[in-house]
């Protein structure tokens, strides 16, 4: 699949010299979807070929993995509006060539006027549509603050990194069939939930080869380029967000925006059979759950049982059941609740959790509760490794596809619907079927619990893999399976992400499998007493492997979307 994009001359009047080198590479722009590449110097893989190409150009022109991550995220905010964003949030995990691990949390926060029962009716029943659609569903966006928090680890000027995104928004880009279908599918919601005309709705249905132009978004990006984070959280853009809130009965204020801060946190790092797994801490549940999952299966001969064997799948399912039960009970924003992280990840505790595991017999979520302690799927992921050994894994999200489906008037970007990731009411499932307790209840300025799990694998302090995926509640299990597929079953990067997946999350008590999952394994699991339900695609995993023996980078984009790799 190839598209030719004519982007014209730059509209920037400031910083033109420092940005010109990258934007020249985008004119004319002939792009293709590349699923698997093998390169020597630097590689990027993301949900869109244009965004991956932008990141690769940044690497080729002297940027490091963090530079490329910033530029790729900004490009995704233009070319992948369903999840790429400046109106949402995310997490960045990195490993630097000096040996340092970094973790940047730019998860959204609840507005100051948010409260525990804001989505309940007069009878205390949840009105879940309020946390999913429209203005009241939006948390305070964190992406822009996160990009600037990452700049301390970058090499190039921000103006150079944002230039491709401005060009793509101002002059437009040619959309794929998948993008056209997504815009057409969301049209009714765009018309219902917006107070002004958006670039995503036009008179005729969208089709592959059409050009999507987002001039209002280009203006917003230009303000960010010229004024930094204040170009988003203050001034004209902030005023547009608040005006949009007033038109749609939202509650976000100027003070909410001005007060937002991204946070650097200590990355989760744990050992698995000689590998070091580096991933995201709370408020991502992914890091803790991943450590639990790998700790619970570590002492079983899973590699001998083999890839997608009934024994291996059953073991992983039962580990998932227990980890998700603990997630529901204990996890939340660590700035608001005390989470017993060390107890949850203790090896003795994890061994105790598996004591009632019976090979060949299905467990039960009715009997498997949280442990006893002394306590949208529309997200998007990108992975990058550069020539110096710096590596970044970034997962960002609007939550649902196109988030709240509300575009900020005059500013041109979509707002998230992350408020649904709180426990709207303890025990009531969110859009992904996940339940929670008071630990994840709504509170002003609190970060909602996330499943995003950007992850790196190190071998003797050298990066071996960068990986991650979207997929809501399936993110953690998809990353877990990808790690098992590579580290235990010996699959190639492409095989590891593209083979059919399965998922269990405690409640509902069923194994979800992709439609092409092996029938023989399904039948064996059903024979053990499991309920197995077929479903559509699970996640869109991106992965890069640096082969220790050759130093080549093998980058693969998921077959389930327009995901694409680029490098040099």
């Amino acid at each position: 699949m190839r598209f030719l994009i004519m982007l014209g001359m730059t509209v920037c009047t400031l910083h033109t010299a420092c940005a010109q080198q990258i934007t020249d590479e985008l004119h004319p722009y002939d792009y293709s979807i590349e699923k698997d590449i093998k390169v020597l110097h630097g590689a990027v893989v993301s949900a869109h070929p244009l965004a991956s190409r932008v990141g690769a150009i940044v690497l080729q022109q002297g940027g490091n993995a963090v530079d490329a991550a910033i530029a790729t995220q900004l490009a995704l905010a233009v070319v992948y509006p369903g999840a790429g964003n400046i109106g949402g949030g995310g997490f960045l995990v990195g490993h630097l060539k000096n040996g340092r691990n970094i973790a940047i949390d730019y998860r959204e926060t609840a507005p100051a006027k948010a409260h525990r029962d804001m989505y309940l009716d007069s009878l205390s029943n949840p009105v879940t549509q309020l946390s999913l659609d429209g203005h009241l569903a939006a948390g305070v966006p964190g992406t822009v603050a996160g990009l600037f928090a990452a700049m301390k680890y970058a090499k190039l000027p921000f103006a150079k990194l944002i230039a491709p995104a401005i060009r793509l928004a101002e002059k437009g880009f040619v959309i794929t069939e998948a993008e056209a279908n997504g815009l057409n599918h969301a049209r009714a919601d765009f018309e219902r939930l917006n107070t002004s005309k958006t670039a995503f709705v036009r008179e005729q249905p969208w089709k592959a080869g059409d050009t999507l132009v987002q001039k209002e978004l280009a203006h917003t990006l230009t303000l960010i380029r010229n004024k930094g984070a204040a170009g988003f959280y203050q001034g004209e853009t902030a005023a547009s967000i608040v005006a949009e809130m007033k038109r749609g009965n939202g509650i976000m204020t100027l003070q909410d925006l001005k007060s937002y801060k991204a946070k650097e946190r200590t990355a989760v790092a744990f050992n698995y059979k000689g590998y070091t797994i580096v991933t995201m801490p709370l408020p991502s549940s992914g890091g803790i759950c991943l450590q639990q999952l790998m700790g619970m299966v570590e002492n079983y001969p899973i590699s001998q049982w083999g890839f997608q064997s009934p024994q291996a799948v059953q073991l992983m399912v039962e580990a998932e059941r227990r980890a998700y039960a603990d997630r529901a009970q204990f996890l939340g924003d660590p700035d608001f609740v005390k989470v017993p992280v060390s107890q949850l990840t203790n090896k003795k505790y994890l061994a105790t959790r598996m004591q009632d595991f019976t090979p060949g017999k299905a467990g039960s979520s009715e009997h498997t509760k949280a442990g006893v302690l002394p306590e949208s799927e529309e997200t998007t992921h990108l992975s990058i490794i550069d020539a110096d050994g710096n590596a970044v894994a970034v997962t960002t999200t609007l939550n649902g596809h196109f988030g709240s489906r509300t575009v900020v008037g005059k500013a041109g970007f979509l707002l998230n619907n992350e408020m649904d990731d709180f426990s709207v009411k303890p025990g009531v499932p969110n859009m992904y079927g996940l339940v929670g307790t008071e630990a994840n209840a709504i509170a002003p300025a609190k970060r909602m619990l996330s499943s995003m799990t950007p992850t790196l694998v190190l071998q003797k302090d050298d990066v071996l893999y960068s990986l991650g995926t979207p997929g809501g509640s399936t993110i953690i299990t998809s990353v877990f399976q990808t790690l098992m597929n590579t580290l235990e079953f010996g699959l190639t990067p492409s095989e590891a992400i593209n083979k059919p997946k399965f998922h269990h999350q405690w409640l509902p008590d069923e194994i979800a499998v992709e439609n092409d999952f092996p029938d023989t394994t399904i039948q064996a699991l059903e024979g053990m007493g499991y309920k197995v339900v077929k479903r559509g695609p699970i996640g869109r995993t991106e992965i890069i492997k640096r082969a220790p023996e050759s130093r080549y980078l093998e980058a693969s984009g998921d077959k389930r979307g327009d995901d694409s790799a680029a490098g040099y």
Side-chain angles (χ1 to χ4, degrees):
M1 183 188 302
R2 303 188 73 86
F3 298 89
L4 184 65
I5 296 186
M6 304 297 293
L7 289 176
M9 295 299 294
T10 181
V11 297
C12 304
T13 57
L14 300 174
H15 315 293
T16 301
C18 70
Q20 193 66 48
Q21 196 176 6
I22 292 179
T23 53
D24 281 349
E25 294 282 340
L26 300 176
H27 175 69
Y29 208 105
D30 183 14
Y31 79 85
S32 60
I33 295 174
E34 303 290 345
K35 290 299 182 185
D36 301 292
I37 64 169
K38 186 176 181 179
V39 295
L40 187 58
H41 300 293
V44 180
V45 59
S46 79
H48 197 284
L50 280 174
S52 296
R53 180 63 182 147
V54 165
I57 293 170
V58 167
L59 292 178
Q60 194 167 9
Q61 296 187 355
N64 62 22
V66 178
D67 289 296
I70 294 168
T72 303
Q73 287 177 84
L74 287 163
L76 284 168
V78 180
V79 300
Y80 191 56
N85 69 81
I86 58 172
F91 300 128
L92 179 152
V93 171
H95 179 76
L96 307 181
K97 63 181 180 180
N98 63 8
R100 180 180 176 185
N101 297 326
I102 59 174
I104 302 176
D105 165 13
Y106 43 105
R107 182 66 161 155
E108 301 90 334
T109 60
K113 293 181 180 179
H115 58 89
R116 180 184 179 279
D117 300 331
M118 63 186 289
Y119 299 117
L120 304 183
D121 63 17
S122 59
L123 300 177
S124 294
N125 296 313
V127 187
T128 53
Q129 212 60 35
L130 292 177
S131 66
L132 291 172
D133 291 345
H135 301 68
L136 197 61
V140 182
T143 294
V144 174
L147 297 177
F148 282 98
M151 279 298 296
K152 65 189 287 187
Y153 303 108
K155 293 169 61 179
L156 302 180
F158 185 81
K160 189 167 187 173
L161 303 179
I162 198 172
I166 294 173
R167 289 283 294 277
L168 289 164
E170 175 69 25
K171 298 299 180 182
F173 66 98
V174 175
I175 64 173
T176 67
E177 181 179 0
E179 291 168 326
N181 290 339
L183 290 168
N184 291 334
H185 182 74
R187 175 173 182 150
D189 283 342
F190 285 139
E191 292 176 332
R192 175 172 61 90
L193 297 169
N194 283 281
T195 62
S196 57
K197 186 177 179 181
T198 83
F200 304 127
V201 175
R202 65 176 196 171
E203 193 170 323
Q204 299 298 322
W206 293 96
K207 62 184 185 300
D210 287 340
T211 299
L212 176 61
V213 176
Q214 301 169 80
K215 290 188 179 294
E216 289 182 340
L217 177 58
H219 176 66
T220 298
L221 293 171
T222 301
L223 289 172
I224 295 169
R225 182 202 64 190
N226 293 345
K227 299 182 179 181
F232 182 86
Y233 293 101
Q234 301 177 47
E236 181 182 334
T237 302
S240 294
I241 294 172
V242 173
E244 186 63 52
M245 288 289 120
K246 290 179 179 177
R247 289 195 295 271
N249 297 316
I251 59 175
M252 203 182 307
T253 66
L254 288 173
Q255 187 58 43
D256 289 326
L257 292 162
K258 187 176 181 179
S259 299
Y260 184 87
K261 296 289 187 294
K263 296 188 177 185
E264 286 209 46
R265 300 191 185 272
T266 301
V268 171
F270 63 92
N271 181 275
Y272 181 80
K273 298 185 178 181
Y275 299 100
T276 300
I277 313 299
V278 181
T279 186
M280 194 70 200
L282 290 168
S284 167
S285 62
I288 291 175
C289 289
L290 192 61
Q291 188 171 356
Q292 287 190 305
L293 290 166
M294 298 186 79
M296 281 188 269
V297 305
E298 186 171 10
N299 294 325
Y300 292 85
I302 188 169
S303 61
Q304 295 177 29
W305 292 340
F307 172 68
Q308 289 187 346
S309 65
Q311 300 98 316
V313 173
Q314 189 206 3
L315 174 68
M316 293 169 69
V317 161
E318 291 301 331
E320 291 170 3
R321 183 196 307 278
R322 290 155 176 79
Y324 276 77
D326 284 356
R327 181 194 190 278
Q329 179 66 34
F330 298 114
L331 302 191
D333 184 344
D335 296 333
F336 282 74
V337 294
K338 183 174 177 56
V339 180
V341 175
S342 60
Q343 293 99 317
L344 287 168
T345 55
N346 181 274
K347 286 187 178 295
K348 289 184 178 179
Y349 169 74
L350 296 177
T352 301
R353 290 295 272 146
M354 294 298 285
Q355 281 181 344
D356 58 351
F357 164 59
T358 304
K361 181 180 179 181
S364 167
S365 292
E366 183 179 351
H367 298 113
T368 299
K369 306 298 183 183
V372 178
L373 296 172
E375 176 241 255
S376 139
E377 298 192 355
E378 280 303 326
T379 305
T380 189
H381 179 84
L382 60 99
S383 285
I384 300 172
I385 301 178
D386 68 23
D388 294 326
N390 300 295
V392 172
V394 177
T395 312
T396 69
T397 185
L398 290 169
N399 199 27
H401 192 44
F402 297 112
S404 65
R405 308 205 173 187
T406 299
V407 178
V408 176
K410 299 183 179 179
F413 62 89
L414 283 153
L415 289 167
N416 64 83
N417 61 348
E418 294 294 354
M419 293 296 287
D420 189 64
D421 271 356
F422 281 117
S423 296
V424 172
K425 182 180 180 180
V428 174
N430 69 2
M431 68 183 294
Y432 299 114
L434 291 170
V435 297
T437 63
E438 292 292 340
N440 192 36
I442 301 169
K446 187 177 182 180
R447 283 162 157 81
M448 57 291 290
L449 192 62
S450 172
S451 295
M452 294 185 287
T453 316
T455 299
L456 306 173
V457 179
L458 310 183
Q459 190 173 34
K460 296 180 180 178
D461 205 41
D462 288 332
V463 176
L464 182 62
Y465 290 102
S466 173
L467 68 146
T469 184
S473 62
T474 68
I475 291 174
I476 302 167
T477 56
S478 291
V479 171
F480 174 45
Q481 285 169 62
T482 302
L483 290 172
M484 291 293 105
N485 290 349
T486 53
L487 302 182
E488 291 285 4
F489 302 128
L491 273 60
T492 67
S494 181
E495 291 170 335
I497 65 172
N498 289 317
K499 292 289 187 181
K501 296 188 181 113
F502 61 92
H503 171 73
H504 196 291
Q505 62 180 49
W506 184 49
L507 294 176
D509 191 354
E510 62 188 31
I511 303 174
V513 299
E514 291 185 303
N515 286 320
D516 54 346
F517 199 78
D519 287 335
T520 53
T521 304
I522 292 174
Q523 291 164 7
L525 292 168
E526 289 175 334
M528 297 177 193
Y530 289 98
K531 178 183 178 181
V532 182
V533 178
K534 288 191 174 183
R535 55 157 287 173
I538 295 176
R540 288 168 57 172
T541 308
E542 324 291 9
I543 189 170
I544 304 174
K545 176 183 180 181
R546 180 180 283 283
E549 61 283 355
S550 66
R551 307 305 291 174
Y552 273 98
L553 295 166
E554 300 173 38
S556 295
D558 200 298
K559 69 178 183 179
R560 297 165 181 83
D562 290 337
D563 307 57
S564 185
Y568 76 106

